[in-house]
Amino acid sequence: MISIENIQLVQTSQVLYQCHYFHIYAKNDKKAVVRPKESSRMNKSKTLLAVVIAIMLGGCGQMGSSPEEEPEKTPAEMDPADLPQIDAFQNEYSREMMVSTEPVADGYYLMRSKIGAFTIWFPEEAVFMENASGVDGDHYEKLRISYENKNENRGYTGNFQYQYGGNAKKPERILDNLRWRWDYEEEWNEIQEDESTIFYGAKEMAQNEYVVMGYKVSTKQAPQVIEFVYDVSCVNKQAKGCDIHLEKEKEFALEWVKSIQFSGTRSDGGETDGE
């Protein structure tokens, strides 16, 4: 069966052949001898031929060329007025970390960590806490993302700490530390992903206040790990309508953690794939 690609190739070859033929003909035609009786008719023919040749050679000159496309601007290079009117893009610090103005999922935009070690979904309603985020060289980074809605009477904070080396080589230390900090006594739950594993636990700290904590460790680009703590509660615990559901919040927190993808870089800037 003849494919469209083959037909296009044949058509292109025919045009190239015609271009080559008319180019040679135009050169050789200068040497042609015209008899007096045929001069009038030949002059008209040559005029018509010259027009055809000009059109053909003009088309040949454009073949293979295409207008240069300007590289797409990153959010950091764009005018803030042209960006989505949410904190992630309007905050100068976090704007440099946003990958695209197109949502990666409903209600989320893709953010790349400052040191380029991982990507994470950024909730469109949330606020980037610049004063509680930062980096240490190219092996440690901390992100804090918060949300508060008085009408909804709900607020949460997501804390994420990335490490390469150190505790990343023995992530169980992170669980021990979390157990001690939050007085967590239950067993840890485990979620297996293609290139990582998530260990987590959830605890009720007070009425309508919960914490989902744990870590996500790379099983391919080792040793890389991200510790996470998701804290959610009512904004006004004394107000009526304060009702936080643990299962719903746990699902939200875990979907957020699952969105994290390690990039495969390590502290010296090399690749960790296959190590």
Side-chain angles (χ1 to χ4, degrees), residues 9-195:
L9 180 60
V10 170
Q11 291 174 338
T12 303
S13 300
Q14 289 175 341
V15 173
L16 289 172
Y17 174 78
Q18 290 171 350
C19 292
H20 179 69
Y21 171 79
F22 278 111
H23 181 69
I24 295 175
Y25 187 90
K27 291 178 62 178
N28 292 340
D29 190 60
K30 294 179 182 179
K31 300 178 181 179
V33 178
V34 181
R35 293 185 178 86
K37 293 181 180 180
E38 300 174 347
S39 61
S40 177
R41 185 172 59 184
M42 289 297 293
N43 285 338
K44 293 181 180 179
S45 300
K46 291 179 66 176
T47 300
L48 179 60
L49 180 61
V51 174
V52 174
I53 291 174
I55 294 174
M56 292 296 297
L57 291 179
C60 294
Q62 295 178 353
M63 288 185 61
S65 63
S66 59
E68 293 185 3
E69 296 182 1
E70 294 185 4
E72 186 176 349
K73 290 184 178 180
T74 65
E77 298 170 329
M78 298 173 65
D79 187 333
D82 298 329
L83 295 170
Q85 297 301 301
I86 64 173
D87 184 77
F89 290 99
Q90 297 306 314
N91 181 301
E92 185 177 359
Y93 183 93
S94 58
R95 186 187 309 140
E96 297 180 355
M97 303 163 65
M98 302 310 293
V99 176
S100 172
T101 57
E102 294 297 322
V104 68
D106 186 25
Y108 293 92
Y109 291 88
L110 189 63
M111 169 182 274
R112 179 178 289 110
S113 74
K114 199 76 171 178
I115 62 176
F118 63 94
T119 57
I120 184 172
W121 291 4
F122 192 102
E124 63 180 0
E125 77 273 9
V127 173
F128 184 82
M129 307 298 290
E130 180 181 349
N131 60 347
S133 304
V135 301
D136 182 7
D138 56 3
H139 63 278
Y140 175 86
E141 182 167 3
K142 180 180 180 180
L143 301 179
R144 177 174 290 180
I145 301 170
S146 295
Y147 167 77
E148 183 176 294
N149 188 314
K150 293 183 178 179
N151 293 329
E152 186 183 353
N153 199 13
R154 172 177 173 264
Y156 66 74
T157 299
N159 290 283
F160 303 90
Q161 292 189 66
Y162 168 87
Q163 295 184 64
Y164 177 91
N167 283 339
K169 296 180 179 179
K170 295 183 178 181
E172 62 274 6
R173 292 180 180 176
I174 297 176
L175 294 182
D176 291 340
N177 183 268
L178 288 171
R179 187 182 294 280
W180 175 76
R181 280 162 51 196
W182 298 98
D183 194 25
Y184 181 70
E185 298 178 351
E186 304 297 324
E187 294 294 322
W188 297 103
N189 301 288
E190 182 176 343
I191 299 175
Q192 291 286 344
E193 298 184 299
D194 290 341
E195 298 183 0

